[in-house]
Amino acid sequence: MSRLWRRDVPLSERPGEGSPPVGALGPSSSAIPMGPNISWLSEAPLLGPEQPTFLMTPAAQAVSGFFVWIALILTSHQIYMHLRFYSSPREQRHIVRILFIVPIYAFDSWLSLLFFTNDQYYVYFDTIRDCYEAFVIYNFLSLCYEYLGGESAIMAEIRGKPIESSCMYSTCCLRGRAYSIGFLRFCKQATLQFCVVKPLMAVITVILQAYGKYKDGDFNVASGYLYVTIIYNISVSLSLYALFLFYFATRDLLSPYSPMLKFLVVKSVIFLSFWQGMLLAILEKCGAIPQINSPEVSVGEGTVAAGYQNFIICVEMFFAALALRHAFTYKVYVEKSLDARGPLPTYGEFGRCAPMKSISSSLKETMSPGDMVQDAIHNFSPAYQQYTQQSTLEQGAPPPASRGHGAAGARGDTEKTLLLSSDDEF
Protein backbone atom coordinates (compact mmCIF):
# COMPACT_ATOMS: atom_id res chain seq x y z
CA MET A 1 0.00 0.00 0.00
CA SER A 2 2.78 2.41 0.89
CA ARG A 3 4.55 1.76 -2.41
CA LEU A 4 1.39 2.53 -4.36
CA TRP A 5 0.45 5.80 -2.74
CA ARG A 6 3.69 7.63 -2.02
CA ARG A 7 4.56 10.32 -4.48
CA ASP A 8 8.10 9.03 -5.10
CA VAL A 9 9.57 5.73 -3.83
CA PRO A 10 9.48 4.19 -0.36
CA LEU A 11 11.81 5.81 2.14
CA SER A 12 13.68 2.53 2.57
CA GLU A 13 14.74 2.61 -1.10
CA ARG A 14 15.71 6.28 -1.39
CA PRO A 15 19.45 6.79 -1.95
CA GLY A 16 21.22 8.16 1.08
CA GLU A 17 18.44 7.20 3.48
CA GLY A 18 19.11 4.62 6.14
CA SER A 19 15.62 4.64 7.53
CA PRO A 20 13.88 1.29 7.72
CA PRO A 21 10.33 0.81 6.36
CA VAL A 22 7.55 2.65 8.12
CA GLY A 23 6.23 -0.47 9.78
CA ALA A 24 9.68 -1.22 11.33
CA LEU A 25 10.74 2.20 12.57
CA GLY A 26 12.76 2.00 15.75
CA PRO A 27 14.53 4.51 17.95
CA SER A 28 17.15 5.25 15.30
CA SER A 29 18.06 8.94 15.07
CA SER A 30 17.71 8.85 11.29
CA ALA A 31 14.09 7.79 11.45
CA ILE A 32 11.32 10.27 10.77
CA PRO A 33 9.59 11.23 14.01
CA MET A 34 6.32 9.45 14.42
CA GLY A 35 3.24 11.65 14.79
CA PRO A 36 -0.40 10.79 15.32
CA ASN A 37 -1.35 8.40 12.53
CA ILE A 38 -4.76 6.99 13.27
CA SER A 39 -5.80 4.72 10.43
CA TRP A 40 -7.83 1.64 9.73
CA LEU A 41 -4.81 0.16 7.92
CA SER A 42 -1.58 -0.88 9.59
CA GLU A 43 0.62 0.66 6.90
CA ALA A 44 -0.80 4.13 6.38
CA PRO A 45 1.60 6.13 4.17
CA LEU A 46 3.53 8.95 5.81
CA LEU A 47 5.24 11.83 4.08
CA GLY A 48 8.18 13.46 5.82
CA PRO A 49 9.76 16.90 5.35
CA GLU A 50 12.10 15.59 2.62
CA GLN A 51 9.13 14.21 0.67
CA PRO A 52 6.44 16.92 0.59
CA THR A 53 2.94 16.20 -0.61
CA PHE A 54 1.78 17.70 -3.90
CA LEU A 55 -0.52 20.14 -2.10
CA MET A 56 2.51 21.86 -0.52
CA THR A 57 4.27 22.51 -3.83
CA PRO A 58 4.15 25.77 -5.85
CA ALA A 59 2.86 23.70 -8.79
CA ALA A 60 -0.36 22.88 -6.93
CA GLN A 61 -0.95 26.52 -6.03
CA ALA A 62 -0.17 27.68 -9.59
CA VAL A 63 -2.39 25.11 -11.30
CA SER A 64 -5.31 25.72 -8.93
CA GLY A 65 -4.84 29.49 -9.17
CA PHE A 66 -4.93 29.37 -12.97
CA PHE A 67 -8.29 27.57 -13.02
CA VAL A 68 -9.67 29.78 -10.25
CA TRP A 69 -8.87 33.09 -11.93
CA ILE A 70 -10.17 31.94 -15.31
CA ALA A 71 -13.41 30.87 -13.61
CA LEU A 72 -13.60 34.22 -11.79
CA ILE A 73 -13.18 36.18 -15.02
CA LEU A 74 -15.79 34.15 -16.91
CA THR A 75 -18.38 34.33 -14.12
CA SER A 76 -17.75 38.00 -13.28
CA HIS A 77 -18.39 38.91 -16.91
CA GLN A 78 -21.60 36.87 -16.93
CA ILE A 79 -22.82 38.52 -13.70
CA TYR A 80 -21.99 41.95 -15.10
CA MET A 81 -23.96 41.27 -18.28
CA HIS A 82 -27.01 40.13 -16.30
CA LEU A 83 -26.89 43.32 -14.21
CA ARG A 84 -26.21 45.46 -17.25
CA PHE A 85 -29.38 44.18 -18.92
CA TYR A 86 -31.51 43.72 -15.81
CA SER A 87 -34.74 43.37 -17.76
CA SER A 88 -36.39 40.64 -15.61
CA PRO A 89 -35.41 41.39 -12.01
CA ARG A 90 -37.57 38.66 -10.47
CA GLU A 91 -35.74 36.01 -12.47
CA GLN A 92 -32.31 37.54 -12.79
CA ARG A 93 -31.81 38.20 -9.09
CA HIS A 94 -32.00 34.43 -8.52
CA ILE A 95 -29.70 33.75 -11.48
CA VAL A 96 -27.06 36.21 -10.24
CA ARG A 97 -27.17 34.62 -6.78
CA ILE A 98 -26.65 31.19 -8.34
CA LEU A 99 -23.74 32.45 -10.43
CA PHE A 100 -21.97 33.80 -7.35
CA ILE A 101 -21.38 30.24 -6.23
CA VAL A 102 -18.43 29.99 -8.65
CA PRO A 103 -16.34 32.90 -7.26
CA ILE A 104 -17.23 32.00 -3.66
CA TYR A 105 -16.42 28.30 -4.09
CA ALA A 106 -13.31 28.90 -6.19
CA PHE A 107 -11.71 31.69 -4.17
CA ASP A 108 -12.58 30.05 -0.85
CA SER A 109 -11.00 26.76 -1.93
CA TRP A 110 -7.91 28.51 -3.26
CA LEU A 111 -7.40 30.39 0.00
CA SER A 112 -7.75 27.14 1.91
CA LEU A 113 -5.08 25.64 -0.33
CA LEU A 114 -2.72 28.60 0.16
CA PHE A 115 -3.06 28.21 3.95
CA PHE A 116 -2.81 24.43 3.75
CA THR A 117 0.09 24.18 6.20
CA ASN A 118 -1.80 26.20 8.81
CA ASP A 119 -3.56 23.53 10.81
CA GLN A 120 -7.35 23.45 10.41
CA TYR A 121 -7.59 26.91 8.80
CA TYR A 122 -9.64 25.37 6.01
CA VAL A 123 -12.52 24.80 8.46
CA TYR A 124 -12.99 28.55 8.88
CA PHE A 125 -12.77 29.27 5.14
CA ASP A 126 -15.17 26.48 4.23
CA THR A 127 -17.79 27.83 6.64
CA ILE A 128 -18.48 30.67 4.19
CA ARG A 129 -18.83 28.19 1.36
CA ASP A 130 -21.19 25.99 3.36
CA CYS A 131 -23.47 28.89 4.23
CA TYR A 132 -23.72 30.16 0.66
CA GLU A 133 -24.45 26.82 -1.00
CA ALA A 134 -27.66 26.54 1.02
CA PHE A 135 -28.66 29.98 -0.26
CA VAL A 136 -28.08 28.76 -3.83
CA ILE A 137 -30.40 25.77 -3.42
CA TYR A 138 -33.22 28.04 -2.27
CA ASN A 139 -32.66 30.43 -5.18
CA PHE A 140 -32.67 27.65 -7.74
CA LEU A 141 -36.08 26.43 -6.61
CA SER A 142 -37.35 30.02 -6.44
CA LEU A 143 -36.12 30.61 -10.00
CA CYS A 144 -38.18 27.63 -11.19
CA TYR A 145 -41.20 29.14 -9.43
CA GLU A 146 -40.60 32.43 -11.26
CA TYR A 147 -40.26 30.68 -14.62
CA LEU A 148 -43.71 29.15 -14.12
CA GLY A 149 -45.43 32.32 -12.95
CA GLY A 150 -45.41 31.84 -9.20
CA GLU A 151 -46.93 29.50 -6.69
CA SER A 152 -50.57 30.04 -7.61
CA ALA A 153 -49.89 29.57 -11.33
CA ILE A 154 -48.18 26.25 -10.62
CA MET A 155 -51.11 25.13 -8.48
CA ALA A 156 -53.54 26.04 -11.25
CA GLU A 157 -51.66 23.66 -13.57
CA ILE A 158 -50.99 20.65 -11.34
CA ARG A 159 -53.58 20.73 -8.54
CA GLY A 160 -55.72 17.60 -8.39
CA LYS A 161 -53.61 15.62 -10.89
CA PRO A 162 -52.55 12.18 -9.63
CA ILE A 163 -48.88 11.73 -8.75
CA GLU A 164 -47.32 9.28 -11.16
CA SER A 165 -45.62 6.37 -9.42
CA SER A 166 -41.95 6.12 -10.44
CA CYS A 167 -39.06 4.27 -8.82
CA MET A 168 -36.58 6.54 -10.64
CA TYR A 169 -37.96 9.63 -8.90
CA SER A 170 -38.74 7.78 -5.64
CA THR A 171 -42.47 8.45 -5.87
CA CYS A 172 -43.54 4.84 -5.37
CA CYS A 173 -44.75 5.64 -1.86
CA LEU A 174 -46.98 8.43 -3.24
CA ARG A 175 -49.17 6.15 -5.33
CA GLY A 176 -52.81 7.25 -5.17
CA ARG A 177 -52.04 10.78 -4.00
CA ALA A 178 -52.72 13.97 -5.95
CA TYR A 179 -50.76 17.19 -6.27
CA SER A 180 -51.86 19.84 -3.79
CA ILE A 181 -50.68 22.95 -1.98
CA GLY A 182 -49.22 20.58 0.59
CA PHE A 183 -46.95 19.17 -2.13
CA LEU A 184 -45.51 22.61 -2.94
CA ARG A 185 -45.20 23.32 0.78
CA PHE A 186 -43.14 20.18 1.24
CA CYS A 187 -40.80 21.10 -1.64
CA LYS A 188 -40.22 24.58 -0.25
CA GLN A 189 -39.91 23.47 3.37
CA ALA A 190 -37.46 20.68 2.51
CA THR A 191 -35.34 23.20 0.63
CA LEU A 192 -35.53 25.89 3.30
CA GLN A 193 -34.56 23.46 6.07
CA PHE A 194 -31.24 22.97 4.26
CA CYS A 195 -30.78 26.75 4.33
CA VAL A 196 -31.06 26.58 8.12
CA VAL A 197 -29.24 23.33 8.84
CA LYS A 198 -26.23 24.01 6.62
CA PRO A 199 -25.15 27.33 8.21
CA LEU A 200 -26.03 26.07 11.69
CA MET A 201 -23.86 22.97 11.31
CA ALA A 202 -21.07 25.09 9.83
CA VAL A 203 -21.03 27.23 12.98
CA ILE A 204 -21.14 24.12 15.18
CA THR A 205 -18.22 22.70 13.20
CA VAL A 206 -16.13 25.79 13.88
CA ILE A 207 -16.93 25.61 17.59
CA LEU A 208 -16.13 21.90 17.79
CA GLN A 209 -12.88 22.41 15.90
CA ALA A 210 -11.84 25.20 18.28
CA TYR A 211 -12.23 22.78 21.19
CA GLY A 212 -10.44 19.94 19.38
CA LYS A 213 -13.61 17.87 18.94
CA TYR A 214 -13.78 17.92 15.12
CA LYS A 215 -11.48 16.36 12.52
CA ASP A 216 -12.44 15.41 8.98
CA GLY A 217 -12.65 11.67 8.51
CA ASP A 218 -12.65 10.93 12.25
CA PHE A 219 -15.66 8.66 12.71
CA ASN A 220 -14.99 8.11 16.41
CA VAL A 221 -18.18 8.40 18.46
CA ALA A 222 -16.39 10.90 20.71
CA SER A 223 -15.72 13.21 17.74
CA GLY A 224 -18.19 15.67 16.24
CA TYR A 225 -17.44 14.71 12.63
CA LEU A 226 -19.62 11.59 12.76
CA TYR A 227 -22.71 13.43 13.99
CA VAL A 228 -22.21 16.45 11.74
CA THR A 229 -21.88 14.15 8.72
CA ILE A 230 -25.06 12.23 9.61
CA ILE A 231 -27.08 15.43 9.99
CA TYR A 232 -25.61 16.85 6.78
CA ASN A 233 -26.50 13.70 4.85
CA ILE A 234 -30.09 13.66 6.10
CA SER A 235 -30.56 17.35 5.34
CA VAL A 236 -28.93 17.29 1.90
CA SER A 237 -30.77 14.11 0.89
CA LEU A 238 -34.12 15.60 1.90
CA SER A 239 -33.38 18.77 -0.06
CA LEU A 240 -32.29 16.77 -3.11
CA TYR A 241 -35.42 14.63 -2.90
CA ALA A 242 -37.62 17.75 -2.80
CA LEU A 243 -35.94 19.12 -5.93
CA PHE A 244 -36.48 15.80 -7.69
CA LEU A 245 -40.15 15.82 -6.71
CA PHE A 246 -40.65 19.37 -7.95
CA TYR A 247 -38.95 18.63 -11.26
CA PHE A 248 -40.98 15.44 -11.64
CA ALA A 249 -44.22 17.41 -11.18
CA THR A 250 -43.36 20.38 -13.42
CA ARG A 251 -40.96 18.96 -16.02
CA ASP A 252 -43.47 19.51 -18.85
CA LEU A 253 -44.14 23.10 -17.78
CA LEU A 254 -40.41 23.80 -17.43
CA SER A 255 -39.48 22.29 -20.79
CA PRO A 256 -39.11 25.68 -22.57
CA TYR A 257 -36.40 26.66 -20.05
CA SER A 258 -34.04 23.66 -20.48
CA PRO A 259 -34.56 22.50 -16.89
CA MET A 260 -32.47 19.33 -17.05
CA LEU A 261 -29.23 21.22 -17.76
CA LYS A 262 -29.90 23.70 -14.97
CA PHE A 263 -30.79 20.95 -12.50
CA LEU A 264 -27.68 18.92 -13.33
CA VAL A 265 -25.29 21.87 -13.11
CA VAL A 266 -26.56 23.26 -9.81
CA LYS A 267 -26.95 19.90 -8.10
CA SER A 268 -23.55 18.70 -9.33
CA VAL A 269 -21.76 21.75 -7.92
CA ILE A 270 -23.37 21.46 -4.48
CA PHE A 271 -24.33 17.86 -3.79
CA LEU A 272 -21.51 16.05 -5.59
CA SER A 273 -18.88 18.29 -4.00
CA PHE A 274 -20.24 17.38 -0.56
CA TRP A 275 -20.11 13.63 -1.19
CA GLN A 276 -16.76 14.05 -2.92
CA GLY A 277 -15.31 15.62 0.23
CA MET A 278 -16.75 12.85 2.42
CA LEU A 279 -15.24 10.18 0.12
CA LEU A 280 -11.80 11.80 0.33
CA ALA A 281 -12.05 11.92 4.12
CA ILE A 282 -12.86 8.19 4.17
CA LEU A 283 -9.95 7.45 1.83
CA GLU A 284 -7.55 9.29 4.13
CA LYS A 285 -8.93 7.41 7.11
CA CYS A 286 -8.37 4.14 5.23
CA GLY A 287 -4.75 5.09 4.52
CA ALA A 288 -5.21 5.57 0.77
CA ILE A 289 -4.20 9.25 1.05
CA PRO A 290 -0.75 9.91 2.60
CA GLN A 291 -0.62 11.80 5.87
CA ILE A 292 2.04 14.39 6.65
CA ASN A 293 4.41 13.58 9.48
CA SER A 294 6.74 16.54 10.00
CA PRO A 295 7.59 18.62 13.09
CA GLU A 296 7.97 21.69 10.86
CA VAL A 297 4.47 21.47 9.35
CA SER A 298 1.33 21.63 11.48
CA VAL A 299 -1.27 19.55 9.63
CA GLY A 300 -3.93 17.69 11.57
CA GLU A 301 -5.91 14.61 10.74
CA GLY A 302 -8.33 15.17 7.86
CA THR A 303 -6.50 18.25 6.57
CA VAL A 304 -4.79 16.41 3.69
CA ALA A 305 -8.14 15.06 2.43
CA ALA A 306 -9.65 18.55 2.75
CA GLY A 307 -6.68 19.93 0.82
CA TYR A 308 -7.24 17.56 -2.06
CA GLN A 309 -10.94 18.44 -1.95
CA ASN A 310 -10.11 22.15 -2.25
CA PHE A 311 -7.66 21.52 -5.10
CA ILE A 312 -10.26 19.49 -7.01
CA ILE A 313 -12.91 22.18 -6.44
CA CYS A 314 -10.55 24.84 -7.82
CA VAL A 315 -10.29 22.86 -11.06
CA GLU A 316 -13.97 21.93 -11.13
CA MET A 317 -15.09 25.56 -10.81
CA PHE A 318 -13.59 26.34 -14.21
CA PHE A 319 -15.86 23.74 -15.82
CA ALA A 320 -18.76 24.84 -13.61
CA ALA A 321 -18.31 28.41 -14.88
CA LEU A 322 -18.55 27.17 -18.47
CA ALA A 323 -21.63 25.08 -17.71
CA LEU A 324 -23.38 27.89 -15.82
CA ARG A 325 -22.57 30.30 -18.63
CA HIS A 326 -24.49 28.08 -21.01
CA ALA A 327 -27.27 27.07 -18.60
CA PHE A 328 -28.08 30.62 -17.41
CA THR A 329 -27.25 32.65 -20.49
CA TYR A 330 -27.63 36.44 -20.38
CA LYS A 331 -28.29 36.79 -24.12
CA VAL A 332 -32.04 36.18 -23.84
CA TYR A 333 -32.27 39.12 -21.42
CA VAL A 334 -30.16 41.29 -23.72
CA GLU A 335 -32.61 40.67 -26.54
CA LYS A 336 -35.59 41.33 -24.30
CA SER A 337 -34.05 44.56 -22.96
CA LEU A 338 -33.31 45.90 -26.43
CA ASP A 339 -36.77 44.94 -27.71
CA ALA A 340 -38.44 46.75 -24.80
CA ARG A 341 -36.50 49.96 -25.40
CA GLY A 342 -37.16 50.11 -29.11
CA PRO A 343 -34.82 51.87 -31.55
CA LEU A 344 -32.20 53.83 -29.60
CA PRO A 345 -28.79 55.29 -30.38
CA THR A 346 -26.46 52.41 -29.65
CA TYR A 347 -22.82 51.78 -28.96
CA GLY A 348 -20.82 48.68 -28.28
CA GLU A 349 -21.75 45.10 -29.08
CA PHE A 350 -25.17 45.08 -27.38
CA GLY A 351 -26.14 48.71 -27.55
CA ARG A 352 -26.89 51.12 -24.73
CA CYS A 353 -26.40 49.70 -21.26
CA ALA A 354 -27.44 50.62 -17.75
CA PRO A 355 -25.31 53.18 -15.91
CA MET A 356 -22.89 51.92 -13.26
CA LYS A 357 -25.04 53.40 -10.48
CA SER A 358 -28.00 51.35 -11.67
CA ILE A 359 -25.83 48.21 -11.90
CA SER A 360 -24.58 48.79 -8.36
CA SER A 361 -28.10 49.23 -6.97
CA SER A 362 -29.27 46.11 -8.82
CA LEU A 363 -26.42 44.12 -7.29
CA LYS A 364 -27.28 45.38 -3.82
CA GLU A 365 -30.95 44.42 -4.28
CA THR A 366 -29.97 41.05 -5.69
CA MET A 367 -27.85 39.98 -2.72
CA SER A 368 -30.39 40.99 -0.08
CA PRO A 369 -31.78 37.83 1.59
CA GLY A 370 -35.04 39.51 2.61
CA ASP A 371 -37.15 37.50 0.17
CA MET A 372 -35.82 34.22 1.57
CA VAL A 373 -36.78 35.30 5.11
CA GLN A 374 -40.31 36.21 3.97
CA ASP A 375 -40.61 32.94 2.08
CA ALA A 376 -39.56 30.98 5.17
CA ILE A 377 -42.22 32.75 7.24
CA HIS A 378 -44.82 32.06 4.55
CA ASN A 379 -44.02 28.36 4.31
CA PHE A 380 -43.45 27.50 7.97
CA SER A 381 -45.95 29.73 9.76
CA PRO A 382 -49.20 27.85 10.55
CA ALA A 383 -51.15 31.01 9.68
CA TYR A 384 -50.05 30.72 6.04
CA GLN A 385 -50.05 26.96 5.52
CA GLN A 386 -53.10 27.04 3.24
CA TYR A 387 -52.24 30.16 1.23
CA THR A 388 -50.44 30.50 -2.07
CA GLN A 389 -48.62 33.60 -3.22
CA GLN A 390 -49.49 35.20 -6.52
CA SER A 391 -48.70 38.48 -8.24
CA THR A 392 -51.37 41.11 -8.71
CA LEU A 393 -50.69 41.22 -12.44
CA GLU A 394 -51.10 37.48 -12.95
CA GLN A 395 -54.83 37.73 -13.49
CA GLY A 396 -55.66 37.04 -17.13
CA ALA A 397 -52.11 36.05 -17.99
CA PRO A 398 -51.58 33.24 -20.48
CA PRO A 399 -50.70 29.75 -19.23
CA PRO A 400 -47.15 29.51 -17.90
CA ALA A 401 -45.98 27.01 -20.48
CA SER A 402 -46.96 29.30 -23.36
CA ARG A 403 -45.09 32.37 -22.14
CA GLY A 404 -41.68 33.22 -23.48
CA HIS A 405 -38.51 33.07 -21.43
CA GLY A 406 -38.30 35.89 -18.92
CA ALA A 407 -41.96 36.80 -19.04
CA ALA A 408 -42.24 36.54 -15.28
CA GLY A 409 -40.05 39.62 -14.94
CA ALA A 410 -42.77 41.80 -16.45
CA ARG A 411 -45.08 41.22 -13.50
CA GLY A 412 -45.31 43.61 -10.60
CA ASP A 413 -43.60 42.90 -7.29
CA THR A 414 -46.77 43.28 -5.20
CA GLU A 415 -47.98 39.95 -3.83
CA LYS A 416 -51.37 38.81 -2.59
CA THR A 417 -52.58 35.49 -1.27
CA LEU A 418 -55.21 33.00 -2.32
CA LEU A 419 -56.95 30.83 0.30
CA LEU A 420 -57.21 27.13 -0.49
CA SER A 421 -59.36 24.52 1.17
CA SER A 422 -58.11 23.20 4.49
CA ASP A 423 -58.21 19.57 3.31
CA ASP A 424 -55.69 20.25 0.52
CA GLU A 425 -52.81 18.46 2.19
CA PHE A 426 -49.87 16.46 0.83
Side-chain angles (χ1 to χ4, degrees), residues 341-404:
R341 291 170 182 168
L344 290 171
T346 60
Y347 59 86
E349 181 182 0
F350 295 110
R352 180 177 295 177
C353 65
M356 288 305 298
K357 183 177 180 180
S358 176
I359 293 176
S360 176
S361 61
S362 297
L363 179 61
K364 182 179 179 180
E365 183 271 336
T366 295
M367 300 312 295
S368 173
D371 57 319
M372 185 179 72
V373 175
Q374 294 178 359
D375 210 5
I377 295 174
H378 174 76
N379 284 277
F380 284 103
S381 175
Y384 295 97
Q385 284 297 304
Q386 299 304 319
Y387 288 82
T388 61
Q389 293 178 326
Q390 69 179 64
S391 298
T392 56
L393 298 184
E394 282 181 351
Q395 307 299 326
S402 64
R403 292 200 301 263

Side-chain angles (χ1 to χ4, degrees), residues 161-187:
K161 294 181 179 179
I163 299 178
E164 180 184 350
S165 179
S166 171
C167 294
M168 178 179 178
Y169 288 93
S170 303
T171 58
C172 300
C173 58
L174 301 178
R175 182 189 300 271
R177 292 178 176 265
Y179 291 114
S180 65
I181 184 60
F183 171 82
L184 290 185
R185 283 290 178 271
F186 172 79
C187 293

Side-chain angles (χ1 to χ4, degrees), residues 97-98 101 132-141 266 270:
R97 290 170 178 175
I98 294 171
I101 195 173
Y132 194 78
E133 69 181 26
F135 190 46
V136 168
I137 289 297
Y138 161 77
N139 279 281
F140 179 71
L141 184 60
V266 173
I270 293 178

Side-chain angles (χ1 to χ4, degrees), residues 8-198:
D8 202 342
V9 295
L11 293 175
S12 60
E13 299 180 10
R14 290 176 56 186
E17 294 287 347
S19 302
V22 173
L25 279 177
S28 173
S29 59
S30 62
I32 296 174
M34 290 295 292
N37 181 29
I38 304 172
S39 174
W40 293 343
L41 300 184
S42 58
E43 297 184 3
L46 295 175
L47 297 177
E50 302 88 358
Q51 193 181 18
T53 181
F54 170 71
L55 299 175
M56 299 169 61
T57 62
Q61 298 176 359
V63 171
S64 59
F66 171 79
F67 283 103
V68 165
W69 285 103
I70 295 297
L72 288 176
I73 292 172
L74 290 174
T75 307
S76 296
H77 174 261
Q78 187 179 6
I79 292 174
Y80 167 75
M81 294 302 293
H82 272 288
L83 296 175
R84 177 182 176 182
F85 297 95
Y86 206 52
S87 55
S88 299
R90 295 176 65 89
E91 290 180 12
Q92 287 177 280
R93 68 178 176 184
H94 298 299
I95 292 176
V96 170
R97 290 170 178 175
I98 294 171
L99 295 177
F100 262 106
I101 195 173
V102 170
I104 290 177
Y105 258 57
F107 199 68
D108 175 276
S109 300
W110 195 48
L111 282 179
S112 297
L113 205 59
L114 293 180
F115 288 91
F116 173 73
T117 55
N118 296 87
D119 188 22
Q120 304 293 316
Y121 271 34
Y122 73 93
V123 175
Y124 303 103
F125 289 122
D126 293 352
T127 299
I128 301 174
R129 188 175 71 195
D130 291 341
C131 293
Y132 194 78
E133 69 181 26
F135 190 46
V136 168
I137 289 297
Y138 161 77
N139 279 281
F140 179 71
L141 184 60
S142 298
L143 176 63
C144 294
Y145 271 60
E146 290 298 332
Y147 280 154
L148 299 180
E151 197 173 61
S152 61
I154 298 173
M155 282 309 309
E157 293 291 331
I158 69 173
R159 187 184 183 193
K161 294 181 179 179
I163 299 178
E164 180 184 350
S165 179
S166 171
C167 294
M168 178 179 178
Y169 288 93
S170 303
T171 58
C172 300
C173 58
L174 301 178
R175 182 189 300 271
R177 292 178 176 265
Y179 291 114
S180 65
I181 184 60
F183 171 82
L184 290 185
R185 283 290 178 271
F186 172 79
C187 293
K188 268 293 181 73
Q189 289 173 351
T191 304
L192 286 167
Q193 62 82 25
F194 186 60
C195 298
V196 176
V197 171
K198 191 71 172 178

Side-chain angles (χ1 to χ4, degrees), residues 276-287:
Q276 172 182 277
M278 190 171 64
L279 175 62
L280 289 170
I282 294 174
L283 289 177
E284 183 182 4
K285 190 68 177 179
C286 292

